[in-house]
Amino acid sequence: MSPKISPDHLARAAVVYVRQSTLAQVLGNLESQRRQYALADAAKTAGFAAVVTIDDDLGRSGSGLTLRPGFQKLVAAICEGGVGAVYCLEASRLARNGQDWHHLIDLCALAGALVIDLDGVYDPRHVNDRLLLGLKGSMSEYELSLMRQRGLAARDAKAGRGELRFTLPPGYCWSEAGRIEIDPDEHVVEAIRLVLHKFRELGSARQVFLWAREVGMKLPVVRRNLTLCRITWRAAAYHSVVQIVQNPIYAGAYAFGRRGDRTSVVEGRARKTSGHRRERADWTMLIRRHHEGCLTWAEFEENQTLLRENAHMQKRAERKAARGGRALLTGLARCGQCGRMMRVFYGTRSGHAHRYQCRGDDGHVGSGLCIGIGGGRVDRAVVAAILDAVSDRAIEAAMLAADQASRTTDEVRKGLSRELEAARYEAGLAARRYDLVDPAKRHVARELEARWNVALERVAGLEHRLAELTTKAASSPGIDRAALMRLAHDLPAAWNAPTTDPRTKQRLIHVLVQEVVVGLDEAANEAVLVVHWTGGRHTELRVARVRTGRYPSDRAPNAVEVLRKLSGHWPDRELAVTLNRMRCRGTDGQSWTTVRVKALRERLGIPPFDPAAAREETISVDATAQRLGICVGSVQRLIRMHVLPARQLMPSAPWQVPVSALATETVQIGVRAVIARRPKNLKHLQDDKASRLPGI
């Protein structure tokens, strides 16, 4: 027994700390476990009064980036003073980072606890032992960093060749030669291809999920643990559909490192979390055309674009997909001032026109709106441009472009045929050279045979490409000129038919139009629309805006005329509001205030409003709302619906509501209908709003 172990140490407990970094080591490296657990027998042989084994950290790394409850338990036991020695197999079992290691050594020095491993006994209170323990901790930390660096470099190098194996999604498996190939289980492959086909047909992962749920279709899911990896069939889930659409493996690409780790500081300690999605530019490796795919890379890119457009709550600067509704430019209208995608606002009542509105940087209070315009005229202008584009001349141009594309395909086919002839000649030459060599010269025959195989593979690849090109050209449908002409003449009627689904119209517009940039020409009072077509061309459209809330320029009232008609009926404040609503400006161009109205009225000799002399036969809209117990907006709605009689002395003037009309049965029925539309928890909402007001 070492002389450093005193009776005071033996009177206290010995703690055996057991740790392995991963679950794979816990299940596979059993010899290391046995050696660590055997330290308890060594502690008993040394004569310690009690031996405690802490194995809570099996499967946890000692790098300091993972929470270790067992290590925390060890530190707490040392601080209590009941630990005489800490047994470990080596320094790397206690900690792989300097912070935890030196903290433990400091606590052992304060509590008078020893550190014992297979090499000897160390007392942290002694300078030499403390120096040796510090060197061991530093070497353990350096060893972990070096092993990680070497492992990552080897992993990335193997992934760069497309040979690193990882769990493949359903529909693919690793061959005996280490290549990715389509799973021989046709059931699995057909299910995956059906999901990809339905996504391109329906244009939405959620619609595919709902369709699969409706038909009762099950999807293959990979289930794996440390020793087993197998396919199970489960009811369709939304995240399963999204994973299939987003996985580049199905596009024939080898992709590794699509998810990574993040390190954050939690309670003053570094903590690592895994499984965070990376941008494509940050992937460790992406090798296209690595294996046979269920769809082409171009189709995969189109699917990703469609997924991004479907995410309406993310990246407001990107184009969005069609979601139904009356607005035809949903997700296509872009603000010409700030560049953000414009939102669509619908009227609260059926039949009300929609509106395209850019709210600007609404994340900052007080930033204000950017651009707003009614959607009815804008939609009609864009639809007219689309129908004009699909005209007789446009169809003729499309047929000419198709003929040109066909000629280009023929030229590519001819060039590929010539290349194939040259490759066949090279393969025949390689075969003749192999036949002429002496078979006994194996070092020469092997090289010539390898060259022959390379030439044959090149011939097979070119033949395959030529066959694909020929099949594609043969399967392309011919152009029916008469059918296209009939479609051009019948398209406006079909478009405007009441049975045409708005969502179908939106999807057709999304095919033809990339986006519509909306700007305003204040001088001409017009909306300037720049239509960006899918082919790259641009068209500018101008739409006249509706001048609302003002008189026509030829019938604009004079301020003197307004005061003469309204002064005896309303106070100066209401007159100022009315003048501003009518856009009446004074000689200096300033807006009206109560003081300015009073000054003009006195110059004209008009007496002020006398509330005592005012007749009680009519009241204002505000007073009407208070008497009926409804809001001002509901009162104005009843006036527009001609349920509540009211009159204006002149347009844009305040309404005058007869008091006698409030008690009529028609008005009472309208008021009850307004109250019936209120939410059932209106009282609770009003109380909650009042509680948030200052001073309440």
Side-chain angles (χ1 to χ4, degrees):
M1 185 177 67
S2 173
K4 297 180 181 180
I5 303 177
S6 64
D8 177 63
H9 294 138
L10 297 176
R12 290 180 284 175
V15 176
V16 178
Y17 182 74
V18 180
R19 185 188 67 80
Q20 288 181 290
S21 299
T22 63
L23 292 177
Q25 294 179 356
V26 175
L27 296 178
N29 195 356
L30 301 180
E31 189 60 31
S32 175
Q33 289 185 35
R34 296 190 185 99
R35 295 180 62 195
Q36 294 185 64
Y37 281 115
L39 294 176
D41 298 334
K44 294 178 181 178
T45 303
F48 283 93
V51 179
V52 178
T53 300
I54 299 179
D55 55 1
D56 298 348
D57 292 342
L58 285 174
R60 299 177 182 268
S61 172
S63 61
L65 300 178
T66 305
L67 186 63
R68 291 193 290 162
F71 185 80
Q72 299 299 328
K73 185 185 297 185
L74 172 63
V75 170
I78 294 175
C79 293
E80 292 174 355
V83 177
V86 177
Y87 276 81
C88 62
L89 197 62
E90 55 186 17
S92 63
R93 298 303 92 196
L94 290 174
R96 284 280 196 176
N97 66 95
Q99 181 179 1
D100 288 349
W101 175 258
H102 291 290
H103 181 59
L104 178 65
I105 298 305
D106 290 339
L107 293 178
C108 289
L110 293 175
L114 303 176
V115 177
I116 303 176
D117 61 9
L118 297 182
D119 296 330
V121 180
Y122 308 94
D123 190 346
R125 293 173 295 182
H126 297 170
V127 176
N128 291 336
D129 289 357
R130 190 179 183 89
L131 175 62
L132 187 56
L133 288 174
L135 291 175
K136 284 196 170 189
S138 299
M139 292 299 297
S140 176
E141 185 177 16
Y142 173 75
E143 180 189 21
L144 176 63
S145 301
L146 185 62
M147 288 190 301
R148 180 185 291 112
Q149 180 181 352
R150 290 176 178 175
L152 293 178
R155 182 203 66 182
D156 294 344
K158 194 171 184 180
R161 300 191 303 270
E163 299 176 357
L164 181 64
R165 295 197 179 194
F166 50 85
T167 303
L168 295 175
Y172 283 92
C173 61
W174 290 98
S175 66
E176 294 79 0
R179 298 186 179 90
I180 298 178
E181 62 180 18
I182 295 181
D183 196 320
D185 190 342
E186 295 181 355
H187 188 193
V188 175
V189 178
E190 288 178 357
I192 297 299
R193 287 177 173 171
L194 182 57
V195 169
L196 295 173
H197 172 73
K198 294 300 293 186
F199 178 79
R200 295 187 64 83
E201 176 185 339
L202 301 176
S204 168
R206 183 175 180 274
Q207 294 300 321
V208 175
F209 160 69
L210 296 177
W211 168 82
R213 284 285 189 176
E214 181 180 357
V215 300
M217 177 183 176
K218 293 186 176 181
L219 297 180
V221 179
V222 176
R223 302 288 296 174
R224 64 163 301 179
N225 52 28
L226 294 175
T227 59
L228 182 64
C229 180
R230 63 188 180 89
I231 296 290
T232 59
W233 292 85
R234 292 192 172 186
Y238 175 74
H239 68 274
S240 300
V241 176
V242 174
Q243 288 174 357
I244 292 174
V245 177
Q246 289 183 337
N247 202 322
I249 297 292
Y250 295 114
Y254 178 92
F256 178 74
R258 297 166 56 219
R259 297 182 180 273
D261 303 332
R262 292 180 184 174
T263 303
S264 59
V265 178
V266 179
E267 298 180 355
R269 297 299 302 270
R271 292 290 180 261
K272 183 177 69 173
T273 55
S274 304
H276 299 280
R277 183 176 301 171
R278 291 176 171 177
E279 296 294 334
R280 184 180 300 179
D282 299 330
W283 291 359
T284 304
M285 186 54 55
L286 176 62
I287 305 176
R288 302 179 186 177
R289 296 185 294 275
H290 178 266
H291 54 271
E292 183 182 357
C294 297
L295 70 165
T296 64
W297 183 260
E299 293 173 340
F300 174 77
E301 292 281 14
E302 293 175 1
N303 291 346
Q304 306 316 301
T305 302
L306 191 55
L307 282 176
R308 290 192 297 269
E309 293 177 358
N310 289 339
H312 278 252
M313 300 304 294
Q314 302 176 5
K315 296 184 179 181
R316 285 181 48 201
E318 290 190 357
R319 151 175 148 147
K320 304 302 179 184
R323 306 186 73 187
R326 298 189 303 272
L328 299 181
L329 302 184
T330 302
L332 293 179
R334 184 183 297 277
C335 177
Q337 292 188 9
C338 66
R340 293 180 174 88
M341 300 305 297
M342 302 181 72
R343 302 180 183 180
V344 181
F345 292 87
Y346 292 98
T348 56
R349 296 180 62 194
S350 177
H352 279 196
H354 55 280
R355 184 174 181 83
Y356 297 111
Q357 184 75 57
C358 176
R359 303 183 67 88
D361 190 8
D362 54 2
H364 296 81
V365 178
S367 60
L369 303 180
C370 197
I371 287 181
I373 187 172
R377 294 190 177 188
V378 172
D379 287 354
R380 288 193 292 270
V382 175
V383 168
I386 291 176
L387 297 180
D388 182 65
V390 190
S391 60
D392 297 345
R393 294 182 179 179
I395 294 176
E396 292 177 0
M399 289 188 291
L400 292 176
D403 294 339
Q404 183 178 357
S406 179
R407 289 194 299 269
T408 303
T409 303
D410 293 339
E411 292 176 358
V412 173
R413 189 187 311 156
K414 291 179 181 178
L416 193 59
S417 300
R418 297 190 189 99
E419 187 178 356
L420 179 58
E421 291 178 2
R424 287 173 176 172
Y425 171 78
E426 294 293 338
L429 182 60
R432 291 192 297 271
R433 288 177 177 175
Y434 177 77
D435 293 337
L436 294 176
V437 72
D438 186 358
K441 294 183 178 181
R442 296 304 306 162
H443 57 286
V444 179
R446 282 195 299 268
E447 177 63 22
L448 293 178
E449 184 180 7
R451 295 179 182 179
W452 186 17
N453 290 333
V454 171
L456 291 176
E457 291 178 357
R458 184 165 180 264
V459 170
L462 292 174
E463 290 177 345
H464 181 67
R465 289 175 55 190
L466 184 60
E468 283 187 346
L469 190 60
T470 304
T471 304
K472 183 178 180 180
S475 60
S476 299
I479 301 175
D480 190 347
R481 183 183 182 90
L484 288 177
M485 291 300 179
R486 289 194 302 270
L487 175 62
H489 293 296
D490 297 340
L491 183 58
W495 183 277
N496 297 318
T499 56
T500 305
D501 184 17
R503 184 178 178 87
T504 303
K505 294 182 180 180
Q506 291 177 351
R507 296 188 66 179
L508 290 174
I509 293 178
H510 273 68
V511 173
L512 299 173
V513 178
Q514 187 65 29
E515 66 179 9
V516 178
V517 180
V518 181
L520 299 181
D521 187 350
E522 298 291 350
N525 194 36
E526 292 178 338
V528 182
L529 312 177
V530 180
V531 181
H532 293 190
W533 301 96
T534 302
R537 296 199 177 261
H538 310 296
T539 302
E540 181 177 312
L541 306 174
R542 286 184 170 266
V543 180
R545 300 176 65 194
V546 179
R547 300 178 64 89
T548 59
R550 67 198 72 174
Y551 279 87
S553 57
D554 57 342
R555 292 194 296 110
N558 191 304
V560 176
E561 178 185 354
V562 174
L563 288 181
R564 292 189 183 280
K565 289 186 177 181
L566 303 181
S567 290
H569 301 274
W570 305 101
D572 292 344
R573 180 181 179 278
E574 293 293 337
L575 294 176
V577 173
T578 302
L579 288 171
N580 291 327
R581 187 185 302 119
M582 294 179 178
R583 304 296 177 93
C584 294
R585 298 293 181 181
T587 56
D588 54 359
Q590 299 295 325
S591 59
W592 291 95
T593 63
T594 304
V595 176
R596 298 189 65 194
V597 170
K598 179 180 179 182
L600 178 59
R601 181 177 51 75
E602 291 177 350
R603 286 200 303 269
L604 296 175
I606 301 175
F609 173 73
D610 186 5
R615 295 176 298 176
E616 291 295 333
E617 300 172 355
T618 61
I619 56 177
S620 65
V621 172
D622 293 340
T624 302
Q626 294 179 359
R627 293 197 182 189
L628 296 179
I630 57 179
C631 65
V632 173
S634 298
V635 172
Q636 294 175 345
R637 185 181 301 112
L638 293 177
I639 294 175
R640 290 194 301 268
M641 297 171 60
H642 304 289
V643 174
L644 179 62
R647 68 187 182 94
Q648 286 178 310
L649 297 178
M650 59 188 309
S652 299
W655 288 98
Q656 292 178 324
V657 181
V659 178
S660 59
L662 303 183
T664 61
E665 183 178 358
T666 304
V667 174
Q668 292 299 321
I669 292 175
V671 172
R672 287 195 293 270
V674 171
I675 297 176
R677 290 195 298 267
R678 291 175 177 174
K680 296 181 179 179
N681 58 342
L682 177 63
K683 185 64 169 59
H684 172 73
L685 296 176
Q686 291 175 341
D687 295 341
D688 183 63
K689 180 179 179 180
S691 64
R692 292 195 297 266
L693 294 176
I696 301 296

